[in-house]
Amino acid sequence: MREDIVRAAQFFSADAAVVCLTGAGVSAESGVPTFRDAQTGLWSQFDAEELATPQGFARDPGLVWRWYMWRLEQLEAAVPNTGHAALARLAGLCESFLLVTQNVDDLHEQAGSVDVLHLHGSLFSFRCASCAAPHNLTAEQRGADLPPACGVCSELVRPGVVWFGESLPWDAVEEAATAAHRCSVMLVVGTSGLVYPASQLPLIARQAGATVIDVNPEPGPISSIADIFLQGKSGEVLPALVRAVADRRASA
Ligand code: OAD
């Protein structure tokens, strides 16, 4: 087994307090495109300003609606990969384990993770852009060229994701930041670490004395502050890490 994975495994003792921050990379091997990877990343093919801002939605709600319906279809076709499964298993090996994700898919939950904090909302929930009333989509509304009208106030319905320039769900941010202050291990998986405030969580943990472990095929801002950089795909690195943690326990 890789020496760096064995070294990382020693930090996951039975009484470890682990916070795991995931990004789009953890779902890449499930066929869900990331945002910033060259060529395949969504923001290298589409304009975030047009598609992921309140101003873009106000300018052209139909364009935004059709794009999110296309992404929703992609997410519904995706199944969890070995990285998602490994994180669900790792949680069971640690006394305290909080999973914080920037992803709007539900692949962590499908893999068996519980209590997942979604910092950027969910692409499976919809609400009114004006009065925030929740909205259940019909099949017809999904295929429509324009977003449906809210049943309460008749304004347009929007996806329940966080757009650029919008606030994140306050409770989730506060819980994640508090856990980052207190954790002994911050495991970061598949994020470019470029989007605030999620990008601050590894820094908070590091400043508070936690061990930061980064899993990513490419070096970046998180690997540069990490104590251990496990270079590789999460679907390969995480199962090996969990095996190493389980082996240590078995031989203790
Ligand atoms: P990015 O697309 O910015 O970064 C994806 C990261 O995953 C990169 O660092 C890749 O190197 C890495 N990666 C690619 N394949 C991987 C694999 N198989 N295993 C592990 N890592 C892999 O995605 P995020 O960091 O999640 O926000 O982006 C943060 C936010 O920016 C998103 O939540 C989204 C986006 O705009 C909103 O929509 C509000």
Side-chain angles (χ1 to χ4, degrees):
M1 186 166 308
R2 272 167 59 170
E3 184 273 332
D4 54 353
I5 290 179
V6 172
R7 195 157 61 87
Q10 76 192 1
F11 293 98
F12 294 86
S13 54
D15 61 354
V18 180
V19 173
C20 176
L21 171 67
T22 66
V26 77
S27 297
E29 288 155 89
S30 295
V32 180
T34 62
F35 294 93
R36 294 178 183 77
D37 281 295
Q39 271 126 47
T40 56
L42 290 172
W43 298 152
S44 59
Q45 303 168 65
F46 299 99
D47 185 348
E49 191 61 40
E50 269 181 11
L51 297 166
T53 63
Q55 296 80 3
F57 185 65
R59 268 194 305 269
D60 194 343
L63 178 75
V64 174
W65 185 252
R66 290 189 300 277
W67 192 68
Y68 278 97
M69 290 305 104
W70 168 70
R71 283 188 59 204
L72 181 60
E73 252 174 55
Q74 271 182 343
L75 296 192
E76 283 172 339
V79 293
N81 64 56
T82 49
H84 296 108
L87 289 178
R89 183 167 174 221
L90 187 58
L93 294 171
C94 303
E95 192 170 284
S96 148
F97 191 99
L98 179 68
L99 184 48
V100 182
T101 189
Q102 300 165 85
N103 297 346
V104 297
D105 64 45
D106 64 349
L107 295 176
H108 285 306
E109 287 90 343
Q110 281 194 47
S113 287
V114 285
D115 294 334
V116 184
L117 281 188
H118 282 267
L119 293 182
H120 294 167
S122 164
L123 194 34
F124 295 97
S125 74
F126 294 85
R127 65 170 190 271
C128 175
S130 177
C131 75
H135 184 92
N136 289 324
L137 286 189
T138 64
E140 196 185 335
Q141 290 168 344
R142 284 184 58 146
D145 280 343
L146 283 171
C150 170
V152 178
C153 73
S154 302
E155 292 297 325
L156 295 180
V157 167
R158 58 164 284 178
V161 301
V162 176
W163 282 331
F164 289 105
E166 292 186 319
S167 303
L168 276 65
W170 175 246
D171 291 1
V173 174
E174 198 178 43
E175 188 177 343
T178 303
H181 268 293
R182 294 187 183 148
C183 70
S184 57
V185 180
M186 165 67 69
L187 175 63
V188 186
V189 183
T191 179
S192 57
L194 294 173
V195 175
Y196 180 87
S199 56
Q200 297 306 295
L201 295 173
L203 295 171
I204 292 173
R206 193 189 154 89
Q207 275 161 12
T211 301
V212 177
I213 299 169
D214 186 32
V215 178
N216 201 306
E218 305 293 337
I222 308 289
S223 66
S224 69
I225 63 125
D227 297 283
I228 303 178
F229 175 39
L230 300 178
Q231 188 160 20
K233 295 179 174 183
S234 49
E236 292 164 9
V237 171
L238 290 176
L241 177 64
V242 175
R243 259 197 314 278
V245 173
D247 287 354
R248 278 182 64 84
R249 299 290 174 80
S251 63

